[in-house]
Amino acid sequence: MYFEKLITGQSIKSIRVLRGAPCSVGILVDRGLGSIDHISASQVTINVAVIFIGGKDDREALAYASRVARHPGVKVTIIRLLVDPNAESSRLVRYRVIHEEEENEMKLDDEYFAHFYERHVVGGRISYTEKHLANAAETFSTLRSFEGQYSLVIVGREGGMNSILTRGMNDWQQCPELGPIGDVLSGPDFSMTVSVLIIQQHKIKGDLDGLDDDFSIM
């Protein structure tokens, strides 16, 4: 995986590495995370949240989280955002035409997440919580609540791209390269303390061979 580090306030609209990198990509928006690199695990615990809505990049973010969680000074929490089945918006979604490709992605999400949960959450290595939301406004409020709780948030670049939980976020995106969730979290007015790591799975047309076992995405 290739990492690009960005300092808060730096222009990121000119970044094109997401589009042309020959591997999976991680872009870090650093809001102080680098300043604790020298502190040993016995001195500090870094709280990391991983947002999972769905899609290839979110599955890649989960795979990376499994590696991050190996560090004894890091506490990882997976936060899965699900559509509230009782919300009016959820009832409207039921009548939406779901294309075959989208249906396959949803199936892969459930299969991959179930495997991840069994391997990492059941044993207590990684914490898990889920939130049932109605729309993008509630997603935004949830993201706002991360202030003071987490030092780092890991998100997939295209996580939830077609979900009702991110619908409308594109209307105010400042940096489309970072995706709907990554753009919100990386905004200059969002937070001064939460660093953000945006993950994009390496896109090889018709072939995903060659990835590390812990980094292979279904």
Side-chain angles (χ1 to χ4, degrees), residues 43-181:
Q43 294 175 298
V44 65
T45 296
I46 300 175
N47 291 313
V48 176
V50 183
I51 303 299
F52 186 88
I53 300 177
K56 296 178 180 179
D57 292 345
D58 273 16
R59 298 197 296 271
E60 187 86 344
L62 279 187
Y64 185 69
S66 68
R67 287 188 167 187
V68 172
R70 295 175 186 173
H71 193 290
V74 176
K75 180 181 179 181
V76 176
T77 300
I78 306 300
I79 302 174
R80 188 171 190 181
L81 304 185
L82 299 167
V83 176
D84 185 349
N86 298 317
E88 178 66 27
S89 56
S90 177
R91 290 192 287 271
L92 293 175
V93 168
R94 296 173 192 171
Y95 298 99
R96 184 172 63 89
V97 176
I98 300 178
H99 300 289
E100 182 178 358
E101 182 179 357
E102 185 178 352
E103 186 174 1
N104 289 337
E105 281 295 306
M106 293 168 64
K107 182 179 179 180
L108 288 175
D109 285 340
D110 290 338
E111 291 176 350
Y112 187 81
F113 196 88
H115 175 74
F116 180 92
Y117 188 95
E118 182 69 24
R119 184 177 180 185
H120 301 290
V121 177
V122 171
R125 183 180 167 199
I126 293 177
S127 300
Y128 172 71
T129 185
E130 61 185 42
K131 296 183 180 295
H132 293 81
L133 310 174
N135 49 45
E138 292 191 5
T139 299
F140 186 84
S141 296
T142 297
L143 298 178
R144 277 288 188 188
S145 71
F146 292 169
E147 187 75 37
Q149 294 190 57
Y150 302 103
S151 299
L152 174 67
V153 179
I154 301 175
V155 299
R157 180 190 171 222
E158 294 186 357
M161 187 66 74
N162 298 316
S163 172
I164 193 169
L165 299 183
T166 60
R167 189 166 300 164
M169 285 186 174
N170 294 339
D171 296 342
W172 63 77
Q173 274 188 319
Q174 299 182 47
C175 302
E177 298 95 333
L178 302 184
I181 301 296

